[in-house]
Amino acid sequence: MKRRAFIKSGMAALSTLAVGEIILLSPEDAAAATGRKDAPPAPVARRRPIDYRKLQRVPSTCLNCSTVCGIVGLVQDGELMAIEGNPQDPNTHGTLCAKGVAAISINTYPERLLYPLKRVGKRGEGLWQRISWDEAYTTLATRIQVNIDAGHPERVAIHQGRSRLGAEFDRFLSAIGSPVQLNHRALCSSNKRAANYASIGDTDWETPHAAKSRYILNFGSNFMECHQGSIHLARRVAEGRADNGARLVTFDVRLSNTAGRSDEWHAPFPGTDGLIALAMGHVILDEGLHNAAFIDNWVNAGVDELRQFYAEYTPERAERESGIAAADIRRIAREFAAAAPTAVAFTNRGSQAHYNGFNNDRAVILLNALVGSIGREGGYAYMKTGFGGFGVRQPEPVPPKPKTRTDLEDPPEWPLANRWQKMRVGEIVYDYIKAGRAKLDVYLSYTLAAPLTWPEGRSLTVDVLKDESLIPFHACSDIVYSEMAHYADLILPDASYLERWGLDNRDNYELRPYIALRQPITPPPGECVSFADVLINIGKRLKPEQAKYFQFANHEDFVRQQCEMIRIPGVASAFDYLKTHGLWVDESKPKAVEIYKRIIPAADLAGSRTDEAGVVWRANPQGKEVAIGVRQGEVVQRGFDTPSRKFEARSKQVAQAAAQVNVADDGWPHYVPIPSHVDLPDDRLILSTFKWNVHTQARTASQKLLSEIVHDNPLWINRATAQGHGLKSGDWVEVTTYRPRGNTLHPTGEVLGSQRVRVHVTEGIHPKVVAISASLGHAFGGRAAEGRKGARAANPAYVALKGKTPASAEVLREDHDLANNLWWSKAAGGKGGGFNLNAIIPIHPAPITGMQSWFDTVCTIRKV
């Protein structure tokens, strides 16, 4: 730096950085010079008070997690002052969680990226040059066009975190001819979705109708904090318990906030949830507690077949392997069946993020079928989400789907990952790139933070991101200078979800479809541009063969055209209605109750045929014959969206997919022990992770109000286990992890790596499990995320650009709390920003589906 004094240092220097000038963005260097305990308070302006007479109310949709609640932004003189819930939201009725309220700090975050930067030093060195958007667009369009002209559009990829921009990404990639849209679904919910699809034909989450339930059986869901739709479900569970006396029984290896508020908490050995559910099914069938009518009419296996399948899964076997008493399994099974059909059994990551998680979840779903609670009020309800039923369409012309495939987006080792829906196997992306299984030329990442959130993130992932021979060009769109942006060649400053457009919806726990609009509550600061608009602007710069698919003006115009066919009674423009109200619930539609029983009108049966199994087929508008229902007596009913149009206890699709990769599977949801856990040595434990209600992957730690609540994440360890290692709360241990065994990636059982972390001793965890929360331990992302206070001038932080109006300049004024009040900063005597163990958690895709087996990692601990 002394030899190159012309280079400006620290993000605060961007206030004087002109186009073409160079800056060093190095959080490590900046952190070394900040946060002295004796440092005087930084002089900063206080936040202006709210004048309620001036407030403007702007409805939109939250995206601080995947639940997408309706929100209303309160805006004063162009500045977002507060966020509250939208009372028209059918799920929330106007309530919001901490994440939704705390998002106010996103727009005013003083460490935001504000304009495009290109790398001028070595990748990961932190040297950047400010450029114009025109140069950024031209650079990307030129590189992408080279691939198109060379016949290799598949070497252009979009890798997304939480986006809710699926239609926009699909359009861009289809227009250029690339199928490579990579996501994080296999790190989140692909086993759960695959289990639902194999059973009932739906690829989304179930919608437990808990408000009408009398018995709620929960396998591994922490719905009071982090289940998709967590607050919606928690609210309705509370209603069911208060109004119906519903009993809540939770199986989880850790005493989560949900487990702690349940009527019963049971801590099974990790990954044995499916075995417990199968043992309950054994009791229900053995004692004649099943719903014979539902099984006879709607399950593709009869009672005798089911009894034969369940015969081996006795409560005594489940007790031996899970540790849950056989007497408790029998009692809970009887209570569950007695409450049916107002009884529901459901899952989340605690059961499905395992090597055997696909069948774990299928076994739990099957419990609902045995007692006839599928699709019932108070039972295992489900509904079709998406926009198709509203008439949402893409602007014409619509590009055709790419016909090519690559191992990167469709790995053949996991045939169920892409069979029904583009679930993909995201955790193998960097391993496959390194191994040469796929070649990339242009890599576009969007709010991903893979070094923090991916297994082997700060090891393999960083190695690949730094290697220009593996990823020749990387453009990163993000809000802050993240761990992903640090390893990019081009930084594209993104508009936050509070500053951009989009359509959205989720399951409605009132069981009627709705559609919501995301619109800018305030304009983005500086030169921030929504990534959707970035793609549109790139598309317009491509050759006419591709540019013809981007004839709309911008993303707002794209969304407006999407809404043109939505018909809201008495409303001329659905787009304008949604801008005013934020969302619309279609009350004309019947509730999503017993959808499978809906009768197909005679007019819709014209030209159909019925096969020998009773499935009714008819040609669709494209001329392809598709199943539309199943004949039941004299009528044709909709049935389930499975090949048999019935609930599938036995799935031929699963058996066929397994045969493709030489996996022994007859299509029934058998319990298969996790290979790494079989004959586990006494000195080895199982490392698990979990989420808090105030954090979502890597997107929330930079928000000061949320990191103030949770900024530290010691390793939970059972008291008896701790005593055996001579540990007490606050002690440090070295955690050493091992690669997995079984039918997975790199099943060697060898040591992967080690890392130091503090421990928290508690009774609230299984004795063979240690657990640490995710979302923390940032090396990049700003003061709140990194846990270090100090004046902005001495930290990697942005200030307002010169020449802007006072209102827009003040949006990015220094934050008094980050400068002076960050009490969890180590320099202030706090514990800092937490730990991240993903570098030593192995990439571990489950067989057939490819879901990351987050909770199977075998480890040892050593006091240090």
Side-chain angles (χ1 to χ4, degrees):
M1 284 299 296
K2 290 180 180 178
R3 294 193 304 270
R4 305 180 69 183
F6 65 91
I7 298 175
K8 297 187 177 181
S9 179
M11 293 187 180
L14 283 172
S15 60
T16 59
L17 189 73
V19 172
E21 287 189 327
I22 296 173
I23 191 167
L24 176 67
L25 304 181
S26 180
E28 293 86 353
D29 292 344
T34 63
R36 301 193 323 273
K37 290 184 180 182
D38 59 346
V44 294
R46 299 285 184 168
R47 185 176 178 84
R48 72 163 65 135
I50 297 178
D51 185 344
Y52 289 93
R53 297 168 299 178
K54 295 182 179 181
L55 288 180
Q56 176 190 5
R57 301 172 63 83
V58 183
S60 191
T61 306
C62 189
L63 193 52
N64 236 359
C65 78
S66 63
T67 299
V68 297
C69 300
I71 58 175
V72 176
L74 307 183
V75 181
Q76 176 180 314
D77 297 329
E79 181 177 352
L80 177 61
M81 306 300 291
I83 298 174
E84 60 185 29
N86 187 341
Q88 297 186 53
D89 188 309
N91 279 317
T92 68
H93 302 297
T95 59
L96 275 186
C97 75
K99 291 192 292 289
V101 174
I104 184 175
S105 66
I106 295 175
N107 286 17
T108 58
Y109 194 53
E111 295 165 333
R112 282 189 65 171
L113 294 163
L114 288 182
Y115 39 73
L117 301 168
K118 74 174 181 181
R119 176 175 64 87
V120 292
K122 295 179 181 179
R123 190 180 286 176
E125 185 180 13
L127 279 174
W128 301 92
Q129 182 181 44
R130 182 183 170 186
I131 61 174
S132 68
W133 269 112
D134 186 65
E135 181 179 348
Y137 293 143
T138 300
T139 298
L140 283 164
T142 301
R143 286 181 172 272
I144 292 170
Q145 193 69 60
V146 167
N147 277 89
I148 296 171
D149 294 344
H152 288 295
E154 78 283 354
R155 294 181 182 177
V156 179
I158 292 177
H159 200 171
Q160 68 187 72
R162 187 76 62 195
S163 74
R164 312 302 291 168
L165 292 170
E168 292 83 344
F169 291 171
D170 285 346
R171 186 182 191 90
F172 182 83
L173 289 171
S174 295
I176 68 173
S178 173
V180 190
Q181 183 185 154
L182 308 171
N183 60 30
H184 70 289
R185 180 155 291 166
L187 283 76
C188 179
S189 61
S190 58
N191 266 343
K192 183 176 184 66
R193 292 172 184 268
N196 257 339
Y197 200 91
S199 303
I200 62 177
D202 190 17
T203 59
D204 212 331
W205 296 42
E206 73 285 343
T207 314
H209 201 231
K212 298 292 184 182
S213 187
R214 294 189 297 128
Y215 208 92
I216 302 165
L217 191 49
N218 167 29
F219 287 87
S221 169
N222 185 10
F223 61 81
M224 292 191 181
E225 293 192 87
C226 58
H227 186 106
Q228 184 171 288
S230 58
I231 303 302
H232 314 336
L233 180 54
R235 174 181 181 146
R236 285 156 178 85
V237 168
E239 292 174 3
R241 298 176 81 182
D243 297 343
N244 316 321
R247 189 166 185 81
L248 173 60
V249 179
T250 292
F251 290 85
D252 198 325
V253 298
R254 184 182 67 91
L255 185 62
S256 67
N257 275 313
T258 301
R261 288 162 175 78
S262 300
D263 295 292
E264 296 182 39
W265 167 52
H266 300 272
F269 188 81
T272 60
D273 307 74
L275 178 58
I276 296 165
L278 291 170
M280 291 180 182
H282 175 102
V283 173
I284 290 169
L285 288 164
D286 188 55
E287 298 185 7
L289 306 176
H290 57 280
N291 187 315
F294 182 85
I295 293 173
D296 290 345
N297 292 325
W298 291 110
V299 178
N300 74 334
V303 172
D304 290 341
E305 288 180 278
L306 289 165
R307 282 187 172 132
Q308 184 177 357
F309 163 66
Y310 275 98
E312 64 180 291
Y313 297 111
T314 64
E316 287 71 27
R317 176 186 170 183
E319 179 177 354
R320 288 193 299 272
E321 298 191 42
S322 72
I324 305 302
D328 285 331
I329 292 173
R330 283 194 168 85
R331 173 181 56 79
I332 293 169
R334 291 164 183 156
E335 292 172 353
F336 178 75
T342 53
V344 57
F346 62 93
T347 67
N348 202 350
R349 292 182 76 193
S351 63
Q352 61 116 2
H354 290 285
Y355 180 92
N356 57 8
F358 173 50
N359 276 350
N360 280 348
D361 276 29
R362 288 182 66 202
V364 174
I365 299 169
L366 185 51
L367 275 178
N368 297 279
L370 294 182
V371 299
S373 67
I374 296 286
R376 298 290 295 272
E377 287 194 299
Y380 194 87
Y382 61 95
M383 60 184 302
K384 291 291 183 182
T385 57
F387 308 130
F390 291 97
V392 172
R393 65 178 186 182
Q394 290 212 22
E396 296 290 343
V398 178
K401 294 291 184 183
K403 296 181 179 179
T404 57
R405 63 159 296 279
T406 73
D407 284 357
L408 199 60
E409 53 88 29
D410 187 13
E413 296 92 331
W414 297 280
L416 290 192
N418 281 358
R419 171 164 297 193
W420 308 307
Q421 188 183 42
K422 289 292 187 180
M423 294 179 184
R424 300 177 180 84
V425 188
E427 69 267 41
I428 56 90
V429 165
Y430 302 106
D431 186 272
Y432 273 28
I433 292 173
K434 184 175 183 179
R437 289 283 298 270
K439 182 175 176 58
L440 288 182
D441 292 325
V442 180
Y443 177 66
L444 307 174
S445 67
Y446 177 65
T447 60
L448 190 68
L452 184 86
T453 59
W454 242 244
E456 302 184 44
R458 289 197 180 130
S459 44
L460 172 69
T461 298
V462 168
D463 290 343
V464 172
L465 289 173
K466 290 173 67 174
D467 192 333
E468 295 180 50
S469 69
L470 298 176
I471 300 180
F473 188 77
H474 172 200
C476 173
S477 176
D478 214 330
I479 303 291
V480 297
Y481 190 68
S482 63
E483 304 195 32
M484 206 69 177
H486 188 64
Y487 299 107
D489 303 301
L490 191 63
I491 294 177
L492 310 171
D494 189 32
S496 76
Y497 72 82
L498 299 169
E499 302 158 349
R500 69 167 174 87
W501 296 93
L503 292 178
D504 218 328
N505 70 356
R506 279 297 192 195
D507 293 9
N508 177 2
Y509 281 79
E510 303 303 320
L511 304 182
R512 283 195 171 91
Y514 78 101
I515 189 167
L517 178 71
R518 181 171 292 109
Q519 65 177 321
I521 295 175
T522 59
E527 296 181 14
C528 295
V529 175
S530 164
F531 190 51
D533 275 310
V534 170
L535 296 178
I536 292 167
N537 282 304
I538 294 170
K540 291 178 182 293
R541 285 167 167 77
L542 298 174
K543 288 184 177 179
E545 295 87 343
Q546 293 81 41
K548 67 183 179 182
Y549 298 117
F550 302 94
Q551 296 177 9
F552 37 89
N554 50 32
H555 193 209
E556 177 183 0
D557 189 29
F558 177 89
V559 174
R560 184 188 298 274
Q561 293 188 45
Q562 281 185 298
C563 294
E564 284 182 353
M565 297 303 293
I566 300 176
R567 297 291 178 258
I568 301 177
V571 171
S573 167
F575 181 74
D576 290 340
Y577 179 93
L578 293 173
K579 283 180 65 178
T580 301
H581 297 274
L583 53 87
W584 174 60
V585 181
D586 190 352
E587 296 287 353
S588 70
K589 294 289 196 302
K591 281 191 172 185
V593 175
E594 295 185 305
I595 301 172
Y596 53 89
K597 285 188 176 181
R598 292 179 183 173
I599 296 175
I600 305 293
D604 293 342
L605 297 174
S608 67
R609 70 174 180 87
T610 303
D611 66 18
E612 64 276 7
V615 178
V616 179
W617 299 79
R618 191 188 64 188
N620 64 14
Q622 290 73 41
K624 181 181 179 181
E625 194 177 52
V626 295
I628 63 170
V630 61
R631 189 168 294 279
Q632 296 274 29
E634 300 299 317
V635 299
V636 175
Q637 292 176 287
R638 186 183 186 280
F640 296 91
D641 289 340
T642 57
S644 67
R645 306 302 290 187
K646 294 188 175 183
F647 182 101
E648 298 209 341
R650 178 190 66 251
S651 173
K652 290 182 180 179
Q653 290 189 96
V654 171
Q656 292 166 358
Q660 289 179 234
V661 289
N662 298 316
V663 172
D665 194 318
D666 60 6
W668 288 91
H670 288 282
Y671 169 72
V672 176
I674 297 166
S676 296
H677 297 180
V678 175
D679 298 324
L680 192 70
D682 290 341
D683 69 330
R684 299 205 175 180
L685 302 167
I686 299 166
L687 174 62
S688 185
T689 63
F690 62 93
K691 295 181 182 180
W692 290 104
N693 61 332
V694 296
H695 283 304
T696 307
Q697 287 89 29
R699 71 170 58 234
T700 50
S702 61
Q703 298 167 40
K704 65 177 184 181
L705 300 177
L706 298 177
S707 279
E708 182 174 33
I709 299 171
V710 174
H711 47 263
D712 186 33
N713 56 339
L715 187 76
W716 287 35
I717 183 170
N718 183 273
R719 186 175 302 280
T721 310
Q723 288 174 348
H725 288 79
L727 294 170
K728 63 182 183 303
S729 288
D731 286 346
W732 288 80
V733 296
E734 180 182 70
V735 180
T736 299
T737 60
Y738 300 82
R739 290 202 175 276
R741 298 189 183 278
N743 182 16
T744 187
L745 194 73
H746 307 313
T748 64
E750 298 172 340
V751 170
L752 175 58
S754 299
Q755 194 164 324
R756 294 175 72 248
V757 64
R758 280 191 305 272
V759 299
H760 168 67
V761 179
T762 175
E763 299 285 355
I765 194 166
H766 192 284
K768 291 296 287 184
V769 178
V770 290
I772 190 166
S773 71
S775 305
L776 297 178
H778 290 244
F780 298 76
R783 289 166 284 179
E786 297 166 41
R788 52 183 178 82
K789 74 170 187 174
R792 176 170 56 181
N795 278 275
Y798 285 106
V799 297
L801 299 177
K802 286 188 173 182
K804 297 295 180 181
T805 65
S808 62
E810 287 184 359
V811 169
L812 295 175
R813 63 187 180 273
E814 171 63 306
D815 187 293
H816 178 77
D817 291 327
L818 296 178
N820 301 316
N821 298 334
L822 203 83
W823 52 267
W824 60 96
S825 170
K826 287 185 177 179
K831 294 182 178 179
F835 308 94
N836 185 280
L837 296 190
N838 283 349
I840 62 169
I841 292 181
I843 299 168
H844 188 6
I848 307 179
T849 66
M851 170 78 191
Q852 169 67 13
S853 305
W854 280 114
F855 304 151
D856 294 349
T857 304
V858 172
C859 72
T860 55
I861 60 172
R862 179 179 66 88
K863 185 176 180 179
V864 294

